[in-house]
Amino acid sequence: MRFIRFRRYEVAKRYTRIVDTLLNHEFDHIVNQLGLKPLRSIRSRMRAQRYKGELSGPERARYVLEELGPTYVKLGQILSMRPDLIPIEYTKEFEKLQDTVAPFDFTYVENMIHQDLGASIEDLFMSFDTKPIAAASIGQVHRARLHDNTDVIVKVQRPDIKKVIDGDLDLMYSFAGFVEEHVQNAKLYRPTQLVEEFSRSIHRELDYNLEAQNTDRFFHNFRNDPHIYIPKVYWDRTGEHVLTLEYIKGVKATDFDAIDALGYDRESIANAGAKAFLKQVFEDGFFHADIHPGNVLIMEDGRIALLDFGMVGHITDDVKNALVDLLIAVTEYDIDRFIEISYNFGITSENVNIPALKLDLLDLLDKYYGRSLKQLDCGVVMGEIMALLRRHQAMVPSNIALLSKGLITIGGFGMKMVPDFNVTVLIEPYAKRLIKKRMRPDIIFKNTMKDASNLMRYMHKMPRQISHILDYAEKGYMTIQFEHHGLNRIITGLDVGSNRLSFSMILSALIIGSALIIQTGIEPHIWGVPALGLIGFLVTGVLGMGLVIYILRTGHI
């Protein structure tokens, strides 16, 4: 019982922190809509708001996430990759989120390495810098050198970070459920599902073995590419909480002055980076889901080094073909094809107003009708499509959203490198190969046989499934559930009407009863009238007048 009370106190304390932070950054409307204002702290009630009129909404939202801590910063970073869920101005602002925090003590580093790898730092490394070169929410990075003089970096996870993140996730689940229950149309955005996706993503980042496996897989995929370099993983010095990688020396891809000073060809870098991402998507089906210039280095020999493979995405052949079909539908003004593709991948559902979506698609496709793929800017087109789907409350699967964000990022980075850069020109050869592959006789035969096999399987299962349905119905196990939309007001109106009718009948009964009592002449009397009957008439008059006043005030008779 004491633990339960402590748990409730901790949850209430965390809610108070969220409410205070929202109010401090002028998000009163959110707090009021959720009915959480009573949870604000005494200090917050006495303190004036700090940023009134100085910052935009997206900027204030970014500060809220930063103040709430590392888990919320990670949530913001993931939301920055989801233009289908939040407005584009928020995604751009959330891209600025930095999870750099104060480093933790080196004693914890030593303990974590010994605990995870079963040996001391001295046994594993010839030298190890005690001061980290970077400190983030999940871990920090140290420079080190192996006994064979190889320079490496060592990522060490923060102590008890999983416990902190799990506590924050519990609160996020609770908050998401609260929002779904109390905010109109919140279920359309599936906040609980969003928290589940975030939970899976951040728990994958907590396992450095998984990041090492991803890095190794990219290393294998690009082993023959002369333009791309992936750091080597040192498995004998890697565990769940410690990751040792080859140290890469280079210039940040955003440092254009340094790139120009070293004489690198910007166009070659932009093309090589874009081709590397397109190879991941269209050939490997396994792509870097957190691709941005901060995870890209230009090495001394001009090669591009890709870093940080904690977040990855998977793409099936169906999605590859759908992406090509989507671009073709845009150029050919084929709205029905666009809607069909969206429906097949669960993007549009019964919650989406299809006629309204088609009207907006007409406006969008008018801009691109008749153009070839080369004349499209894929990043711009995907950004506009994502914004359109978000306005219509469509839900985009996370892997498709991450792919779209990657294409937008690659296109934007290329345009910074070379003003007339167009990633779609590089996509066209892949699109043609996919289309040509689909038209091969062996592929057509294979797909036909697959469809026929599926049809036969469904036909084989159908009688048994129908029999099961009838059995359930016969035994009374089948139930039909109805979910109403917009009937709450009708139900409330019926309740009010029935209450008024009941109240009127009671008043009528009191009037009749009081009249009968007066006719009997029963004592005691007041002014020669039976007191009980007179009191009944007075009470009835007061209550009746109250009902009349209420009806006149509300305007509902």
Side-chain angles (χ1 to χ4, degrees):
M1 181 65 70
R2 183 180 300 174
F3 173 78
I4 294 175
R5 289 176 180 173
F6 176 76
R7 178 69 177 163
R8 288 176 178 172
Y9 169 76
E10 284 295 313
V11 171
K13 186 177 178 182
R14 289 178 177 176
Y15 264 111
T16 296
R17 184 187 175 200
I18 293 175
V19 170
D20 284 354
T21 306
L22 289 171
L23 291 174
N24 190 45
H25 293 277
E26 296 185 299
F27 287 104
D28 306 58
H29 60 287
I30 295 178
V31 176
N32 292 332
Q33 187 176 11
L34 295 174
L36 296 175
K37 205 161 188 177
L39 291 178
R40 66 189 299 192
S41 66
I42 297 176
R43 182 188 302 176
S44 174
R45 297 170 193 266
M46 299 173 62
R47 185 175 56 191
Q49 292 178 345
R50 189 182 307 166
Y51 297 107
K52 189 171 184 179
E54 296 179 4
L55 300 175
S56 66
E59 287 175 318
R60 289 185 282 114
R62 175 167 63 87
Y63 281 120
V64 166
L65 295 173
E66 288 177 341
E67 287 189 18
L68 289 177
T71 310
Y72 296 87
V73 169
K74 282 290 181 185
L75 176 62
Q77 291 172 342
I78 290 178
L79 285 175
S80 72
M81 306 174 193
R82 300 298 303 268
D84 58 307
L85 293 179
I86 61 176
I88 192 66
E89 58 268 23
Y90 281 84
T91 63
K92 289 181 178 178
E93 188 64 32
F94 288 174
E95 287 175 356
K96 301 175 184 177
L97 283 167
Q98 300 294 323
D99 56 357
T100 52
V101 294
F104 54 91
D105 192 86
F106 187 69
T107 304
Y108 291 107
V109 175
E110 292 180 303
N111 292 338
M112 185 66 73
I113 289 176
H114 191 277
Q115 174 185 335
D116 213 33
L117 304 182
S120 66
I121 286 180
E122 292 77 13
D123 293 335
L124 296 169
F125 304 95
M126 184 172 70
S127 64
F128 198 102
D129 292 350
T130 59
K131 184 178 179 181
I133 58 176
S137 55
I138 292 180
Q140 62 189 35
V141 181
H142 292 259
R143 283 282 303 274
R145 179 168 291 177
L146 303 180
H147 291 292
D148 61 0
N149 284 323
T150 301
D151 289 326
V152 295
I153 62 161
V154 184
K155 292 177 65 174
V156 183
Q157 200 167 110
R158 286 183 175 274
D160 298 325
I161 185 61
K162 186 177 185 300
K163 182 178 179 182
V164 173
I165 289 174
D166 286 342
D168 287 333
L169 285 171
D170 285 344
L171 188 63
M172 287 182 184
Y173 275 112
S174 171
F175 193 73
F178 185 84
V179 168
E180 285 186 353
E181 184 177 351
H182 291 85
V183 178
Q184 188 177 10
N185 295 329
K187 286 185 178 180
L188 297 177
Y189 295 98
R190 306 173 194 173
T192 300
Q193 180 179 330
L194 179 62
V195 175
E196 288 175 354
E197 289 182 9
F198 172 61
S199 175
R200 288 194 296 270
S201 175
I202 199 168
H203 278 103
R204 285 195 293 265
E205 286 194 62
L206 288 172
D207 187 354
Y208 284 173
N209 273 321
L210 187 57
E211 182 175 346
Q213 290 172 8
N214 294 337
T215 308
D216 235 13
R217 185 169 174 180
F218 276 96
F219 183 88
H220 175 77
N221 290 344
F222 284 95
R223 65 190 183 282
N224 297 322
D225 193 315
H227 305 291
I228 304 298
Y229 192 83
I230 308 296
K232 178 184 176 182
V233 178
Y234 292 89
W235 282 100
D236 57 341
R237 289 163 177 79
T238 292
E240 184 178 354
H241 306 104
V242 178
L243 172 61
T244 303
L245 298 169
E246 177 185 3
Y247 173 73
I248 303 295
K249 184 179 180 181
V251 177
K252 286 188 176 181
T254 52
D255 192 348
F256 299 120
D257 292 336
I259 290 173
D260 292 337
L262 292 170
Y264 297 139
D265 184 358
R266 285 195 183 193
E267 186 173 1
S268 297
I269 292 173
N271 286 334
K275 287 179 180 178
F277 184 76
L278 296 177
K279 176 187 181 302
Q280 296 169 39
V281 173
F282 290 103
E283 293 183 14
D284 304 330
F286 181 71
F287 66 95
H288 197 312
D290 192 19
I291 189 70
H292 58 78
N295 286 335
V296 179
L297 291 179
I298 312 301
M299 301 173 64
E300 293 179 348
D301 57 4
R303 285 183 295 176
I304 299 174
L306 303 180
L307 311 174
D308 194 358
F309 300 95
M311 290 182 59
V312 296
H314 299 268
I315 292 295
T316 63
D317 289 339
D318 290 339
V319 176
K320 297 175 192 177
N321 287 315
L323 177 61
V324 174
D325 289 342
L326 194 66
L327 293 174
I328 293 174
V330 169
T331 61
E332 295 183 352
Y333 210 72
D334 191 346
I335 294 178
D336 291 331
R337 180 61 176 150
F338 186 101
I339 297 294
E340 181 185 352
I341 294 170
S342 301
Y343 186 81
N344 289 341
F345 287 93
I347 296 172
T348 56
S349 63
E350 66 276 3
N351 295 323
V352 178
N353 187 333
I354 298 299
L357 176 60
K358 284 186 174 182
L359 286 176
D360 283 346
L361 278 172
L362 282 171
D363 292 335
L364 175 63
L365 299 189
D366 278 339
K367 296 168 57 177
Y368 303 109
Y369 177 62
R371 298 187 186 183
S372 65
L373 285 179
K374 288 183 179 180
Q375 294 174 308
L376 293 182
D377 187 328
C378 184
V380 173
V381 174
M382 294 303 297
E384 291 180 343
I385 290 174
M386 286 294 166
L388 179 63
L389 293 174
R390 182 185 59 79
R391 288 200 304 272
H392 287 272
Q393 300 173 338
M395 289 298 298
V396 180
S398 59
N399 65 327
I400 298 178
L402 292 174
L403 168 61
S404 302
K405 177 62 177 178
L407 290 172
I408 295 170
T409 302
I410 288 294
F413 172 69
M415 291 183 68
K416 289 180 181 179
M417 280 283 192
V418 185
D420 60 350
F421 180 81
N422 187 351
V423 69
T424 314
V425 175
L426 303 177
I427 290 179
E428 188 174 29
Y430 292 98
K432 288 181 177 178
R433 282 200 293 270
L434 281 174
I435 295 171
K436 187 176 179 180
K437 180 180 178 181
R438 280 188 297 186
M439 300 305 295
R440 279 169 34 193
D442 60 320
I443 297 298
I444 294 175
F445 179 77
K446 180 180 178 181
N447 290 334
T448 302
M449 293 303 296
K450 181 180 178 181
D451 292 340
S453 176
N454 289 336
L455 180 62
M456 292 299 295
R457 187 169 67 254
Y458 295 147
M459 294 293 291
H460 178 72
K461 291 167 60 178
M462 188 180 298
R464 185 168 65 254
Q465 290 175 333
I466 293 175
S467 176
H468 288 165
I469 292 173
L470 294 176
D471 286 343
Y472 272 101
E474 184 179 8
K475 294 176 182 178
Y477 295 152
M478 182 176 292
T479 59
I480 300 176
Q481 296 181 343
F482 292 96
E483 183 177 352
H484 66 79
H485 297 279
L487 296 180
N488 290 330
R489 292 183 179 179
I490 297 176
I491 294 171
T492 302
L494 291 174
D495 287 340
V496 172
S498 61
N499 289 339
R500 288 179 184 174
L501 181 61
S502 300
F503 190 65
S504 300
M505 293 178 66
I506 293 172
L507 290 180
S508 300
L510 284 173
I511 291 172
I512 295 171
S514 299
L516 292 174
I517 290 173
I518 289 175
Q519 291 295 324
T520 61
I522 190 172
E523 294 184 349
H525 289 182
I526 298 177
W527 302 312
V529 179
L532 189 59
L534 184 61
I535 292 171
F537 272 120
L538 290 174
V539 171
T540 304
V542 172
L543 294 177
M545 184 59 67
L547 178 60
V548 171
I549 292 172
Y550 173 77
I551 291 174
L552 293 175
R553 282 185 174 180
T554 58
H556 301 293
I557 299 176

